[in-house]
Amino acid sequence: MNLLVTGATGFIGGSVARHMHASGHRIYALHRQPAQAASLRAEGFVPLLGDLADLDPLPLPQVDAIIHAGAIINDGTADTYRLVNVQSTARLAAWAQAQTPPVRLVYISSVGVYGELADQPADEDTPCRPVNDYEFTKLAAEHEVRAAASRGLPAVIIRPTWVYGPGDRKNLKLFRLIDRGRFPLIGSGKTLLSPIFSEDLAAGIALAAISTKALGQTLIMGPPVPVTLLDLCSATAQSLGKPAPHRHIPLALAISAAWLTELLWRVLPGNPPLSHRRLLFFTRSQTFSSGRASELLGFAAHIGLREGTQRTADWYKQQGWLR
């Protein structure tokens, strides 16, 4: 197959592109910076210079499927979230639908669209109640994909849970803080999380890109069982050969500090080091069922937390990002 992957220079998109390339598929990798072309070629991809925010004049190649993983995740303005996460998805879906025959679109969304979960584990029928710009715009992008699907676009929506693994920069800070003995546990540490290793997710997305049973579906992809934040920290510490974090900061104190920090950063440049959104990692349990993906596609996550954190830590060390 010929595949177009957006976000191929990022974490999830890159993981999927490498997995699909290793399976013999030809990968067109959309990238924004000319300097990224050489590294993409080195991985065996076909670089395609372009910007998701400006797809109209971009001559896209004829492909069999698009895996749309490109998005803005953290610290964008409301307008930027809408432009990158919603409008560009709508334009990409329109392009895919206009081809003859229409091109399959696999849209990589997020379980963030659920926002606050009233009942857990959540499944694909759980009501979505987003609470921030990222979550609102990922849900709005899903609506764009479904609207195109109602007009004949062959589409699949994937909602990954919390993803980690080699190539990830988002969770590097967690590893560094634990490595340096500076990671404070906010609250009890009993918050439930659903981490999935990037290779498991990439394999699941690959199934969605080729299976006829996936068409028209929204599918959660995550681990078979959740873990506590304490479990995650302990596994990460073990992968680094360090003791598990033991300092606990009372939640009420952290919330007060977040209010103060956000207030100060209204007049200071950059993004606040502590915010209510960042506190969600410590306070908001998120558990999910991947039963539909398992039943329809045979999806299963096989890499456990111990192996996954060890492989992630080893990769960080290879990059020189950890001691």
Side-chain angles (χ1 to χ4, degrees):
M1 291 175 64
N2 291 327
L3 299 169
L4 171 65
V5 179
T6 73
T9 58
F11 174 39
I12 293 178
S15 297
V16 176
R18 285 186 287 274
H19 179 91
M20 298 295 283
H21 180 261
S23 299
H25 302 288
R26 182 179 179 86
I27 304 298
Y28 291 92
L30 188 65
H31 64 104
R32 292 185 300 165
Q33 305 298 329
Q36 295 170 322
S39 61
L40 291 170
R41 287 194 189 93
E43 295 208 64
F45 309 153
V46 180
L48 186 63
L49 184 63
D51 193 328
L52 281 175
D54 189 26
L55 277 177
D56 288 336
L58 180 64
L60 296 176
Q62 186 61 48
V63 293
D64 300 296
I66 299 170
I67 298 173
H68 181 28
I72 182 171
I73 299 175
N74 292 315
D75 303 323
T77 65
D79 287 342
T80 303
Y81 277 116
R82 282 193 294 271
L83 176 62
V84 176
N85 292 353
V86 184
Q87 295 175 25
S88 61
T89 299
R91 286 198 292 266
L92 195 59
W95 180 90
Q97 189 173 4
Q99 305 310 298
T100 306
V103 173
R104 179 183 298 212
L105 175 63
V106 182
Y107 175 60
I108 311 304
S109 184
S110 167
V111 292
V113 299
Y114 292 109
E116 299 287 347
L117 292 173
D119 298 304
Q120 300 189 46
D123 62 20
E124 291 81 1
D125 298 322
T126 297
C128 295
R129 300 185 296 182
V131 298
N132 58 50
D133 286 334
Y134 171 72
E135 295 170 357
F136 276 113
T137 54
K138 292 299 281 187
L139 184 58
E142 286 191 9
H143 293 330
E144 295 289 348
V145 174
R146 290 194 189 93
S150 71
R151 298 188 294 268
L153 176 69
V156 188
I157 295 171
I158 303 298
R159 292 174 177 169
T161 61
W162 183 72
V163 191
Y164 72 104
D168 176 36
R169 294 176 181 267
K170 179 169 58 73
N171 296 304
L172 174 60
K173 184 176 181 180
L174 170 68
F175 279 74
R176 280 179 170 167
L177 289 173
I178 291 178
D179 187 46
R180 297 167 184 171
R182 297 178 181 175
F183 182 79
L185 279 167
I186 296 175
S188 67
K190 295 180 180 180
T191 300
L192 290 172
L193 306 172
S194 298
I196 181 171
F197 192 63
S198 53
E199 288 185 14
D200 279 334
L201 175 61
I205 293 172
L207 291 172
I210 61 176
S211 172
T212 56
K213 294 181 179 180
L215 292 176
Q217 297 291 332
T218 297
L219 302 171
I220 294 171
M221 291 187 177
V225 293
V227 301
T228 67
L229 179 57
L230 284 171
D231 292 333
L232 173 64
C233 291
S234 295
T236 302
Q238 184 179 60
S239 73
L240 298 166
K242 299 296 175 67
H246 61 276
R247 291 187 298 140
H248 287 257
I249 295 177
L251 180 58
L253 178 61
I255 292 174
S256 298
W259 278 114
L260 179 59
T261 304
E262 290 176 336
L263 182 62
L264 287 173
W265 255 257
R266 290 181 182 178
V267 295
L268 294 175
N271 300 299
L274 181 65
S275 66
H276 286 84
R277 182 181 174 188
R278 295 181 190 276
L279 285 180
L280 292 177
F281 177 71
F282 297 92
T283 62
R284 187 169 74 177
S285 285
Q286 296 229 307
T287 62
F288 304 91
S289 169
S290 299
R292 185 178 297 178
S294 176
E295 179 182 350
L296 291 177
L297 307 182
F299 166 76
H302 300 289
I303 299 173
L305 194 60
R306 296 290 184 184
E307 179 184 351
T309 52
Q310 187 64 63
R311 290 172 62 179
T312 304
D314 291 344
W315 188 85
Y316 286 150
K317 290 176 181 178
Q318 290 169 7
Q319 307 309 305
W321 295 350
L322 289 174
R323 295 173 293 177

Short mmCIF file of all heavy atoms in Angstrom, two decimals, residues 175-237:
data_model
loop_
_atom_site.label_atom_id
_atom_site.label_comp_id
_atom_site.label_asym_id
_atom_site.label_seq_id
_atom_site.Cartn_x
_atom_site.Cartn_y
_atom_site.Cartn_z
N PHE A 175 10.43 11.08 33.26
CA PHE A 175 11.60 10.23 33.44
C PHE A 175 12.76 11.03 34.05
O PHE A 175 13.47 10.52 34.93
CB PHE A 175 12.02 9.62 32.10
CG PHE A 175 11.22 8.42 31.71
CD1 PHE A 175 9.91 8.55 31.25
CD2 PHE A 175 11.75 7.15 31.79
CE1 PHE A 175 9.16 7.44 30.88
CE2 PHE A 175 11.02 6.03 31.43
CZ PHE A 175 9.71 6.18 30.97
N ARG A 176 12.96 12.25 33.58
CA ARG A 176 14.06 13.06 34.11
C ARG A 176 13.86 13.39 35.58
O ARG A 176 14.81 13.32 36.38
CB ARG A 176 14.18 14.35 33.30
CG ARG A 176 14.92 14.17 31.97
CD ARG A 176 14.98 15.48 31.22
NE ARG A 176 15.88 15.39 30.06
CZ ARG A 176 15.94 16.29 29.10
NH1 ARG A 176 15.14 17.36 29.14
NH2 ARG A 176 16.79 16.13 28.09
N LEU A 177 12.65 13.76 35.95
CA LEU A 177 12.40 14.12 37.35
C LEU A 177 12.58 12.92 38.27
O LEU A 177 13.15 13.03 39.35
CB LEU A 177 10.99 14.70 37.49
CG LEU A 177 10.79 16.10 36.89
CD1 LEU A 177 9.32 16.48 36.94
CD2 LEU A 177 11.63 17.14 37.63
N ILE A 178 12.10 11.76 37.82
CA ILE A 178 12.27 10.55 38.63
C ILE A 178 13.75 10.17 38.68
O ILE A 178 14.28 9.76 39.73
CB ILE A 178 11.41 9.41 38.09
CG1 ILE A 178 9.93 9.73 38.33
CG2 ILE A 178 11.79 8.08 38.73
CD1 ILE A 178 8.96 8.69 37.78
N ASP A 179 14.45 10.33 37.56
CA ASP A 179 15.87 10.02 37.51
C ASP A 179 16.66 10.88 38.50
O ASP A 179 17.63 10.43 39.12
CB ASP A 179 16.40 10.24 36.09
CG ASP A 179 17.84 9.79 35.92
OD1 ASP A 179 18.17 8.68 36.38
OD2 ASP A 179 18.63 10.55 35.33
N ARG A 180 16.23 12.13 38.67
CA ARG A 180 16.94 13.07 39.55
C ARG A 180 16.38 13.10 40.96
O ARG A 180 16.83 13.88 41.79
CB ARG A 180 16.86 14.47 38.95
CG ARG A 180 17.56 14.59 37.59
CD ARG A 180 17.21 15.87 36.90
NE ARG A 180 17.82 15.93 35.56
CZ ARG A 180 17.54 16.87 34.64
NH1 ARG A 180 16.65 17.82 34.93
NH2 ARG A 180 18.12 16.84 33.47
N GLY A 181 15.38 12.25 41.23
CA GLY A 181 14.79 12.21 42.55
C GLY A 181 13.98 13.45 42.87
O GLY A 181 13.81 13.80 44.05
N ARG A 182 13.43 14.09 41.85
CA ARG A 182 12.71 15.36 42.04
C ARG A 182 11.25 15.29 41.64
O ARG A 182 10.61 16.32 41.46
CB ARG A 182 13.40 16.47 41.25
CG ARG A 182 14.83 16.75 41.70
CD ARG A 182 15.46 17.83 40.82
NE ARG A 182 16.83 18.10 41.21
CZ ARG A 182 17.65 18.92 40.55
NH1 ARG A 182 17.20 19.55 39.47
NH2 ARG A 182 18.88 19.11 40.96
N PHE A 183 10.72 14.09 41.47
CA PHE A 183 9.32 13.99 41.05
C PHE A 183 8.43 13.93 42.28
O PHE A 183 8.47 12.96 43.04
CB PHE A 183 9.10 12.76 40.19
CG PHE A 183 7.69 12.63 39.69
CD1 PHE A 183 7.25 13.38 38.61
CD2 PHE A 183 6.79 11.77 40.31
CE1 PHE A 183 5.95 13.27 38.15
CE2 PHE A 183 5.49 11.66 39.86
CZ PHE A 183 5.07 12.42 38.78
N PRO A 184 7.61 14.95 42.49
CA PRO A 184 6.71 14.93 43.64
C PRO A 184 5.37 14.30 43.25
O PRO A 184 4.80 14.63 42.20
CB PRO A 184 6.53 16.42 43.96
CG PRO A 184 6.64 17.09 42.63
CD PRO A 184 7.57 16.25 41.79
N LEU A 185 4.87 13.41 44.05
CA LEU A 185 3.56 12.85 43.82
C LEU A 185 2.52 13.81 44.40
O LEU A 185 2.54 14.11 45.59
CB LEU A 185 3.43 11.49 44.48
CG LEU A 185 4.03 10.31 43.73
CD1 LEU A 185 4.12 9.09 44.63
CD2 LEU A 185 3.19 10.00 42.50
N ILE A 186 1.66 14.31 43.55
CA ILE A 186 0.60 15.21 44.00
C ILE A 186 -0.63 14.37 44.28
O ILE A 186 -1.13 13.66 43.42
CB ILE A 186 0.31 16.28 42.93
CG1 ILE A 186 1.53 17.17 42.72
CG2 ILE A 186 -0.90 17.12 43.33
CD1 ILE A 186 1.39 18.18 41.61
N GLY A 187 -1.08 14.44 45.51
CA GLY A 187 -2.21 13.60 45.92
C GLY A 187 -1.74 12.23 46.36
O GLY A 187 -0.57 12.01 46.71
N SER A 188 -2.65 11.26 46.33
CA SER A 188 -2.39 9.94 46.90
C SER A 188 -1.55 9.04 46.00
O SER A 188 -0.96 8.07 46.46
CB SER A 188 -3.71 9.24 47.20
OG SER A 188 -4.39 8.95 45.98
N GLY A 189 -1.53 9.32 44.69
CA GLY A 189 -0.85 8.43 43.75
C GLY A 189 -1.70 7.24 43.33
O GLY A 189 -1.24 6.38 42.58
N LYS A 190 -2.95 7.20 43.77
CA LYS A 190 -3.83 6.07 43.43
C LYS A 190 -4.66 6.33 42.18
O LYS A 190 -5.49 5.50 41.80
CB LYS A 190 -4.75 5.75 44.61
CG LYS A 190 -3.98 5.26 45.84
CD LYS A 190 -4.92 4.95 46.99
CE LYS A 190 -4.13 4.46 48.21
NZ LYS A 190 -5.04 4.16 49.36
N THR A 191 -4.44 7.48 41.54
CA THR A 191 -5.12 7.78 40.29
C THR A 191 -4.85 6.68 39.28
O THR A 191 -3.72 6.22 39.13
CB THR A 191 -4.63 9.12 39.73
OG1 THR A 191 -4.90 10.15 40.68
CG2 THR A 191 -5.29 9.45 38.41
N LEU A 192 -5.88 6.25 38.57
CA LEU A 192 -5.73 5.17 37.58
C LEU A 192 -5.45 5.74 36.20
O LEU A 192 -6.11 6.69 35.76
CB LEU A 192 -7.00 4.32 37.54
CG LEU A 192 -7.26 3.45 38.77
CD1 LEU A 192 -8.64 2.81 38.68
CD2 LEU A 192 -6.19 2.38 38.91
N LEU A 193 -4.47 5.15 35.52
CA LEU A 193 -4.05 5.58 34.19
C LEU A 193 -4.11 4.40 33.23
O LEU A 193 -4.10 3.24 33.66
CB LEU A 193 -2.62 6.14 34.23
CG LEU A 193 -2.35 7.26 35.24
CD1 LEU A 193 -0.86 7.56 35.30
CD2 LEU A 193 -3.13 8.50 34.87
N SER A 194 -4.14 4.71 31.95
CA SER A 194 -4.21 3.66 30.93
C SER A 194 -3.10 3.84 29.92
O SER A 194 -3.33 4.27 28.78
CB SER A 194 -5.59 3.70 30.24
OG SER A 194 -6.62 3.46 31.15
N PRO A 195 -1.85 3.54 30.29
CA PRO A 195 -0.73 3.73 29.35
C PRO A 195 -0.63 2.60 28.34
O PRO A 195 -0.75 1.42 28.68
CB PRO A 195 0.49 3.73 30.29
CG PRO A 195 0.08 2.90 31.45
CD PRO A 195 -1.40 3.09 31.61
N ILE A 196 -0.40 2.97 27.09
CA ILE A 196 -0.19 1.97 26.03
C ILE A 196 1.15 2.26 25.37
O ILE A 196 1.48 3.42 25.06
CB ILE A 196 -1.33 1.97 24.99
CG1 ILE A 196 -1.06 0.89 23.92
CG2 ILE A 196 -1.55 3.34 24.36
CD1 ILE A 196 -2.23 0.66 22.99
N PHE A 197 1.94 1.23 25.18
CA PHE A 197 3.25 1.38 24.55
C PHE A 197 3.07 1.69 23.08
O PHE A 197 2.18 1.16 22.40
CB PHE A 197 4.06 0.09 24.74
CG PHE A 197 5.51 0.21 24.40
CD1 PHE A 197 6.34 1.06 25.13
CD2 PHE A 197 6.06 -0.52 23.37
CE1 PHE A 197 7.69 1.17 24.83
CE2 PHE A 197 7.40 -0.41 23.06
CZ PHE A 197 8.22 0.44 23.79
N SER A 198 3.92 2.55 22.55
CA SER A 198 3.75 3.08 21.20
C SER A 198 3.72 1.98 20.13
O SER A 198 2.96 2.07 19.16
CB SER A 198 4.86 4.08 20.87
OG SER A 198 6.14 3.51 21.11
N GLU A 199 4.49 0.92 20.29
CA GLU A 199 4.50 -0.15 19.28
C GLU A 199 3.17 -0.90 19.25
O GLU A 199 2.70 -1.31 18.19
CB GLU A 199 5.65 -1.11 19.55
CG GLU A 199 7.02 -0.54 19.23
CD GLU A 199 8.12 -1.57 19.39
OE1 GLU A 199 7.80 -2.78 19.47
OE2 GLU A 199 9.28 -1.16 19.43
N ASP A 200 2.56 -1.07 20.43
CA ASP A 200 1.25 -1.70 20.47
C ASP A 200 0.21 -0.84 19.76
O ASP A 200 -0.63 -1.34 19.01
CB ASP A 200 0.82 -1.94 21.92
CG ASP A 200 1.44 -3.18 22.53
OD1 ASP A 200 1.78 -4.12 21.78
OD2 ASP A 200 1.57 -3.23 23.76
N LEU A 201 0.26 0.47 20.01
CA LEU A 201 -0.68 1.36 19.35
C LEU A 201 -0.46 1.37 17.84
O LEU A 201 -1.42 1.32 17.06
CB LEU A 201 -0.55 2.78 19.90
CG LEU A 201 -1.42 3.83 19.20
CD1 LEU A 201 -2.90 3.50 19.34
CD2 LEU A 201 -1.12 5.23 19.75
N ALA A 202 0.80 1.44 17.41
CA ALA A 202 1.10 1.46 15.97
C ALA A 202 0.56 0.21 15.29
O ALA A 202 0.01 0.28 14.18
CB ALA A 202 2.60 1.57 15.75
N ALA A 203 0.69 -0.94 15.94
CA ALA A 203 0.16 -2.18 15.36
C ALA A 203 -1.36 -2.12 15.25
O ALA A 203 -1.95 -2.60 14.27
CB ALA A 203 0.59 -3.37 16.21
N GLY A 204 -2.01 -1.53 16.24
CA GLY A 204 -3.46 -1.39 16.19
C GLY A 204 -3.91 -0.46 15.08
O GLY A 204 -4.90 -0.74 14.37
N ILE A 205 -3.21 0.67 14.92
CA ILE A 205 -3.55 1.61 13.85
C ILE A 205 -3.33 0.98 12.49
O ILE A 205 -4.10 1.20 11.54
CB ILE A 205 -2.73 2.90 14.02
CG1 ILE A 205 -3.17 3.63 15.29
CG2 ILE A 205 -2.88 3.81 12.81
CD1 ILE A 205 -2.29 4.81 15.66
N ALA A 206 -2.29 0.16 12.37
CA ALA A 206 -2.05 -0.54 11.11
C ALA A 206 -3.22 -1.45 10.76
O ALA A 206 -3.63 -1.55 9.60
CB ALA A 206 -0.75 -1.35 11.20
N LEU A 207 -3.79 -2.13 11.76
CA LEU A 207 -4.96 -2.96 11.51
C LEU A 207 -6.13 -2.12 11.01
O LEU A 207 -6.86 -2.52 10.09
CB LEU A 207 -5.37 -3.69 12.80
CG LEU A 207 -4.42 -4.79 13.31
CD1 LEU A 207 -4.88 -5.27 14.68
CD2 LEU A 207 -4.39 -5.96 12.33
N ALA A 208 -6.30 -0.94 11.61
CA ALA A 208 -7.40 -0.05 11.21
C ALA A 208 -7.22 0.46 9.79
O ALA A 208 -8.21 0.79 9.12
CB ALA A 208 -7.51 1.11 12.18
N ALA A 209 -5.98 0.53 9.32
CA ALA A 209 -5.70 1.06 7.98
C ALA A 209 -6.01 0.05 6.88
O ALA A 209 -6.15 0.43 5.72
CB ALA A 209 -4.24 1.49 7.88
N ILE A 210 -6.14 -1.23 7.24
CA ILE A 210 -6.33 -2.26 6.20
C ILE A 210 -7.60 -3.07 6.37
O ILE A 210 -8.07 -3.68 5.40
CB ILE A 210 -5.12 -3.22 6.15
CG1 ILE A 210 -4.95 -3.96 7.49
CG2 ILE A 210 -3.84 -2.46 5.81
CD1 ILE A 210 -3.84 -4.99 7.49
N SER A 211 -8.18 -3.08 7.55
CA SER A 211 -9.33 -3.95 7.80
C SER A 211 -10.63 -3.32 7.29
O SER A 211 -10.93 -2.16 7.59
CB SER A 211 -9.47 -4.24 9.29
OG SER A 211 -10.68 -4.92 9.56
N THR A 212 -11.43 -4.09 6.57
CA THR A 212 -12.74 -3.60 6.15
C THR A 212 -13.69 -3.47 7.33
O THR A 212 -14.62 -2.65 7.31
CB THR A 212 -13.36 -4.56 5.11
OG1 THR A 212 -13.44 -5.88 5.69
CG2 THR A 212 -12.52 -4.61 3.85
N LYS A 213 -13.46 -4.24 8.38
CA LYS A 213 -14.32 -4.17 9.57
C LYS A 213 -14.15 -2.87 10.33
O LYS A 213 -15.01 -2.51 11.13
CB LYS A 213 -14.03 -5.36 10.49
CG LYS A 213 -14.40 -6.71 9.92
CD LYS A 213 -14.11 -7.82 10.92
CE LYS A 213 -14.50 -9.19 10.36
NZ LYS A 213 -14.21 -10.28 11.34
N ALA A 214 -13.04 -2.16 10.09
CA ALA A 214 -12.79 -0.92 10.81
C ALA A 214 -13.58 0.25 10.25
O ALA A 214 -13.82 1.24 10.95
CB ALA A 214 -11.29 -0.59 10.77
N LEU A 215 -14.01 0.16 9.00
CA LEU A 215 -14.63 1.30 8.33
C LEU A 215 -15.90 1.75 9.05
O LEU A 215 -16.76 0.94 9.41
CB LEU A 215 -14.96 0.94 6.89
CG LEU A 215 -13.75 0.73 5.97
CD1 LEU A 215 -14.19 0.30 4.58
CD2 LEU A 215 -12.92 2.01 5.88
N GLY A 216 -15.98 3.05 9.26
CA GLY A 216 -17.13 3.64 9.93
C GLY A 216 -17.09 3.54 11.44
O GLY A 216 -18.02 3.99 12.11
N GLN A 217 -16.01 2.99 11.98
CA GLN A 217 -15.94 2.75 13.42
C GLN A 217 -15.14 3.84 14.15
O GLN A 217 -14.24 4.46 13.58
CB GLN A 217 -15.28 1.40 13.70
CG GLN A 217 -16.04 0.21 13.17
CD GLN A 217 -17.34 -0.04 13.92
OE1 GLN A 217 -17.46 0.30 15.10
NE2 GLN A 217 -18.31 -0.64 13.24
N THR A 218 -15.49 4.02 15.41
CA THR A 218 -14.67 4.76 16.37
C THR A 218 -14.16 3.73 17.36
O THR A 218 -14.96 2.99 17.96
CB THR A 218 -15.47 5.84 17.09
OG1 THR A 218 -15.93 6.81 16.14
CG2 THR A 218 -14.62 6.54 18.15
N LEU A 219 -12.83 3.66 17.53
CA LEU A 219 -12.23 2.57 18.31
C LEU A 219 -11.25 3.10 19.34
O LEU A 219 -10.33 3.86 19.01
CB LEU A 219 -11.50 1.60 17.38
CG LEU A 219 -12.35 0.95 16.28
CD1 LEU A 219 -11.44 0.20 15.31
CD2 LEU A 219 -13.38 0.01 16.89
N ILE A 220 -11.43 2.71 20.58
CA ILE A 220 -10.46 3.00 21.62
C ILE A 220 -9.35 1.96 21.55
O ILE A 220 -9.61 0.76 21.38
CB ILE A 220 -11.12 2.95 23.02
CG1 ILE A 220 -12.14 4.08 23.17
CG2 ILE A 220 -10.06 3.04 24.13
CD1 ILE A 220 -12.98 3.97 24.44
N MET A 221 -8.10 2.42 21.70
CA MET A 221 -6.97 1.50 21.77
C MET A 221 -6.15 1.84 23.01
O MET A 221 -5.62 2.95 23.13
CB MET A 221 -6.12 1.58 20.51
CG MET A 221 -6.82 1.03 19.29
SD MET A 221 -5.77 0.93 17.81
CE MET A 221 -6.92 0.16 16.65
N GLY A 222 -6.08 0.88 23.91
CA GLY A 222 -5.36 1.07 25.16
C GLY A 222 -4.93 -0.25 25.74
O GLY A 222 -5.05 -1.30 25.11
N PRO A 223 -4.44 -0.25 26.98
CA PRO A 223 -3.95 -1.48 27.61
C PRO A 223 -5.10 -2.35 28.09
O PRO A 223 -6.24 -1.86 28.24
CB PRO A 223 -3.13 -0.94 28.79
CG PRO A 223 -3.86 0.32 29.17
CD PRO A 223 -4.33 0.93 27.87
N PRO A 224 -4.83 -3.61 28.37
CA PRO A 224 -5.90 -4.49 28.85
C PRO A 224 -6.39 -4.14 30.25
O PRO A 224 -7.56 -4.35 30.56
CB PRO A 224 -5.26 -5.88 28.81
CG PRO A 224 -3.79 -5.64 28.85
CD PRO A 224 -3.56 -4.34 28.14
N VAL A 225 -5.49 -3.60 31.09
CA VAL A 225 -5.88 -3.21 32.46
C VAL A 225 -5.20 -1.89 32.80
O VAL A 225 -4.09 -1.61 32.31
CB VAL A 225 -5.49 -4.28 33.50
CG1 VAL A 225 -6.29 -5.55 33.30
CG2 VAL A 225 -3.99 -4.57 33.46
N PRO A 226 -5.83 -1.05 33.62
CA PRO A 226 -5.18 0.21 34.01
C PRO A 226 -4.12 -0.02 35.08
O PRO A 226 -4.02 -1.11 35.65
CB PRO A 226 -6.35 1.03 34.57
CG PRO A 226 -7.28 0.00 35.12
CD PRO A 226 -7.17 -1.19 34.20
N VAL A 227 -3.34 1.01 35.34
CA VAL A 227 -2.33 0.98 36.40
C VAL A 227 -2.51 2.25 37.24
O VAL A 227 -3.10 3.23 36.79
CB VAL A 227 -0.90 0.93 35.84
CG1 VAL A 227 -0.71 -0.30 34.97
CG2 VAL A 227 -0.57 2.18 35.05
N THR A 228 -1.98 2.24 38.45
CA THR A 228 -2.02 3.45 39.25
C THR A 228 -0.81 4.33 38.92
O THR A 228 0.19 3.86 38.35
CB THR A 228 -1.99 3.14 40.76
OG1 THR A 228 -0.69 2.57 41.09
CG2 THR A 228 -3.09 2.17 41.14
N LEU A 229 -0.92 5.59 39.28
CA LEU A 229 0.21 6.49 39.10
C LEU A 229 1.42 5.99 39.88
O LEU A 229 2.56 6.10 39.42
CB LEU A 229 -0.17 7.90 39.55
CG LEU A 229 0.92 8.97 39.46
CD1 LEU A 229 1.46 9.10 38.04
CD2 LEU A 229 0.38 10.32 39.95
N LEU A 230 1.17 5.39 41.05
CA LEU A 230 2.26 4.81 41.83
C LEU A 230 2.93 3.68 41.06
O LEU A 230 4.17 3.55 41.07
CB LEU A 230 1.75 4.29 43.17
CG LEU A 230 1.43 5.34 44.25
CD1 LEU A 230 0.73 4.69 45.43
CD2 LEU A 230 2.70 6.04 44.70
N ASP A 231 2.13 2.85 40.38
CA ASP A 231 2.68 1.77 39.56
C ASP A 231 3.59 2.34 38.47
O ASP A 231 4.68 1.82 38.22
CB ASP A 231 1.57 0.95 38.91
CG ASP A 231 0.74 0.15 39.89
OD1 ASP A 231 1.28 -0.20 40.96
OD2 ASP A 231 -0.44 -0.11 39.59
N LEU A 232 3.09 3.36 37.80
CA LEU A 232 3.85 3.97 36.71
C LEU A 232 5.17 4.54 37.22
O LEU A 232 6.23 4.32 36.61
CB LEU A 232 3.02 5.08 36.05
CG LEU A 232 3.75 5.93 35.01
CD1 LEU A 232 4.16 5.07 33.82
CD2 LEU A 232 2.86 7.09 34.55
N CYS A 233 5.11 5.25 38.34
CA CYS A 233 6.33 5.85 38.88
C CYS A 233 7.32 4.79 39.34
O CYS A 233 8.53 4.92 39.14
CB CYS A 233 5.99 6.78 40.05
SG CYS A 233 5.11 8.27 39.55
N SER A 234 6.79 3.71 39.94
CA SER A 234 7.68 2.64 40.40
C SER A 234 8.35 1.94 39.22
O SER A 234 9.56 1.66 39.26
CB SER A 234 6.87 1.62 41.21
OG SER A 234 6.37 2.20 42.39
N ALA A 235 7.60 1.66 38.15
CA ALA A 235 8.18 1.02 36.98
C ALA A 235 9.21 1.93 36.31
O ALA A 235 10.28 1.46 35.87
CB ALA A 235 7.08 0.65 35.98
N THR A 236 8.91 3.22 36.24
CA THR A 236 9.86 4.17 35.65
C THR A 236 11.14 4.24 36.47
O THR A 236 12.25 4.22 35.93
CB THR A 236 9.21 5.56 35.54
OG1 THR A 236 8.03 5.47 34.75
CG2 THR A 236 10.17 6.55 34.91
N ALA A 237 10.98 4.31 37.78
CA ALA A 237 12.16 4.35 38.66
C ALA A 237 13.00 3.09 38.50
O ALA A 237 14.24 3.15 38.44
CB ALA A 237 11.71 4.54 40.11
#
